[in-house]
Amino acid sequence: MKPGHILAIETSCDETAVALADETGRIIASEVASQIEIHARYGGVVPELASRNHNSDLRPLVEMVVERVGWSEITAIAATSGPGLASSLLIGDTTAKAIATARKIPFFSINHMEGHLLSPFIATGQGIPKHMALVVSGGHTLLVDVSGVGQYETIGTTKDDAAGEAFDKVGKMLGLPYPGGPVIAKRAENGDSAKYEFPRSMVGSGDHHFSFSGLKTSAFYLLKRLAESTGCPSDSLPESIVDDVCASFQEVVVDILVSKLFEAVAIRSSKLVSLSGGVACNSRLRERVQAEAEKHGISFQPVAKEYSTDNAAMIAFVAFCRMAADLEPSPLDSDIDPNLQLNSR
Ligand code: KG4
Ligand code: ZN
């Protein structure tokens, strides 16, 4: 395939994103038009609003990014085909296929989770080494034993809510703005993480799976008790109590993620761990994984914060890895799949 630049489009949820990778896989542009403020009013993503906004934001973003090198330099195009919201995925997928047809360039249909999975290795120049990956986003919690590009063994998933979803739901209960994750992390900085007890669900369960819904239920009852004792509604508790709940909740989620990750590391004798997905922005989580990796004498490759929440750089990077591994482009009649799983190729 002709070497050149890869243009990538990501519209799986509520971020419209476009990126450009050069022939070495280096990201030379990565633009994200966030819809967070639009959806925050509703306390979560409204699918119809998301697709309408992708529709209006995508074309100007593509034009802005392509201007960096010019259309003639773009030799391949990639778009996220799942998992995500069907109506949102269709906007990016259809746009990319239209560009591929008009420009007569190959099209790559990319799994959003593979994007998060490989994102820690963007710009490392070391390819995709064998490692144990923890992917923690708003929709997924995955433990994956990675052997190389396209060689993934998913050994753990969540039985109910994803880690980010648990942050968002507890944030909502506390009356904090959407998405809850970053706000809880900020409030936790001033709180006491030992103040309130939460169950360490699935820790020591003997498998690699996660469960966060019990944690959410226990947060619900804690807030109910705090509302009774303070006389304030549970979504407007006194500031210092909210800070302590945030710190205690964050600590238990981090505890669960770290212990499950390192149980898997011990069993699989991994020499390297990676961390990615929106929740990988969490400084406490990064700090705890780093400390535990040092204790185990292994390396830690976290995603760069700019590529942890949804972006198109990770989609461009997967397309680059596929091209570098001589994998075939996708047919133009390939479909989107809102429930796409992470499989080995
Ligand atoms: O990967 P992402 O952008 O979207 C999905 O593919 O789901 O992840 C978004 C998730 C949200 O649940 C958000 O609350 C969470 O990542 N998040 C955080 C932090 N920043 C974002 N969770 C905890 N701490 C953070 N600092
Ligand atoms: Zn994501």
Side-chain angles (χ1 to χ4, degrees):
M1 223 170 289
K2 194 177 146 208
H5 292 76
I6 306 165
L7 180 67
I9 297 177
E10 152 65 44
T11 60
S12 65
C13 191
D14 58 345
E15 321 276 8
T16 314
V18 179
L20 198 58
D22 71 10
E23 58 275 5
T24 67
R26 196 171 57 97
I27 303 300
I28 57 170
S30 175
E31 299 291 339
V32 181
S34 177
Q35 301 178 11
I36 282 183
E37 278 176 25
I38 295 163
H39 300 283
R41 269 177 262 153
Y42 305 93
V45 180
V46 181
E48 188 184 334
L49 275 182
S51 43
R52 281 172 186 263
N53 281 281
H54 288 313
N55 202 29
S56 56
D57 291 345
L58 187 54
R59 196 176 53 86
L61 272 193
V62 167
E63 281 172 359
M64 188 202 296
V65 166
V66 171
E67 220 169 60
R68 303 282 289 268
V69 290
W71 278 109
S72 60
E73 290 300 310
I74 297 184
T75 52
I77 181 150
T80 306
S81 57
L85 300 168
S87 52
S88 287
L89 289 164
L90 276 170
I91 309 276
D93 178 80
T94 309
T95 304
K97 285 172 179 165
I99 293 172
T101 307
R103 307 268 342 148
K104 297 188 176 51
I105 55 177
F107 163 71
F108 288 87
S109 157
I110 305 291
N111 184 321
H112 180 85
M113 297 317 295
E114 189 175 7
H116 280 303
L117 181 73
L118 304 190
S119 62
F121 300 94
I122 295 176
T124 60
Q126 56 172 302
I128 306 299
K130 184 165 172 48
H131 69 283
M132 183 62 66
L134 176 63
V135 187
V136 270
S137 71
H140 294 81
T141 308
L142 298 176
L143 257 179
V144 187
D145 195 351
V146 177
S147 301
V149 180
Q151 294 171 284
Y152 314 128
E153 186 187 351
T154 302
I155 62 170
T157 57
T158 178
K159 292 185 175 294
D160 37 60
D161 294 342
E165 198 177 355
F167 272 102
D168 296 342
K169 287 181 176 169
V170 170
K172 199 169 184 174
M173 286 182 209
L174 282 164
L176 300 174
Y178 169 85
V183 190
I184 289 182
K186 185 89 201 108
R187 298 293 298 261
E189 288 171 13
N190 307 318
D192 173 3
S193 62
K195 181 84 182 189
Y196 301 109
E197 273 289 324
F198 286 99
R200 258 88 179 139
S201 324
M202 304 293 286
V203 169
S205 62
D207 62 25
H208 299 301
H209 296 304
F210 300 87
S211 166
F212 293 102
S213 74
L215 204 52
K216 185 184 64 192
T217 311
S218 116
F220 174 80
Y221 285 110
L222 169 67
L223 297 189
K224 201 162 173 255
R225 284 199 305 279
L226 290 169
E228 280 160 14
S229 63
T230 57
C232 302
S234 58
D235 61 358
S236 36
L237 291 166
E239 299 254 312
S240 68
I241 293 185
V242 173
D243 292 348
D244 291 343
V245 171
C246 289
S248 305
F249 174 76
Q250 172 179 269
E251 199 63 21
V252 71
V253 175
V254 169
D255 260 1
I256 296 169
L257 294 172
V258 171
S259 50
K260 286 281 176 184
L261 172 60
F262 284 89
E263 269 169 33
V265 161
I267 289 172
R268 299 280 172 134
S269 308
S270 314
K271 300 282 179 287
L272 168 68
V273 285
S274 73
L275 177 67
S276 60
V279 183
C281 270
N282 190 284
S283 304
R284 182 71 183 138
L285 177 61
R286 294 167 87 94
E287 191 180 286
R288 290 275 311 276
V289 176
Q290 174 73 53
E292 204 63 22
E294 279 169 21
K295 220 188 304 168
H296 283 72
I298 67 171
S299 310
F300 173 41
Q301 183 68 57
V303 61
K305 284 201 176 175
E306 60 184 310
Y307 300 138
S308 59
T309 49
D310 289 348
N311 64 86
M314 64 186 193
I315 304 304
F317 184 63
V318 175
F320 167 78
C321 292
R322 275 168 65 168
M323 289 170 79
D326 272 334
L327 296 172
E328 286 298 308
S330 314
L332 286 175
D333 61 357
S334 65
D335 206 356
I336 54 132
D337 180 356
N339 301 309
L340 190 62
Q341 302 293 312
L342 183 70
N343 293 319
S344 287
R345 274 182 255 107

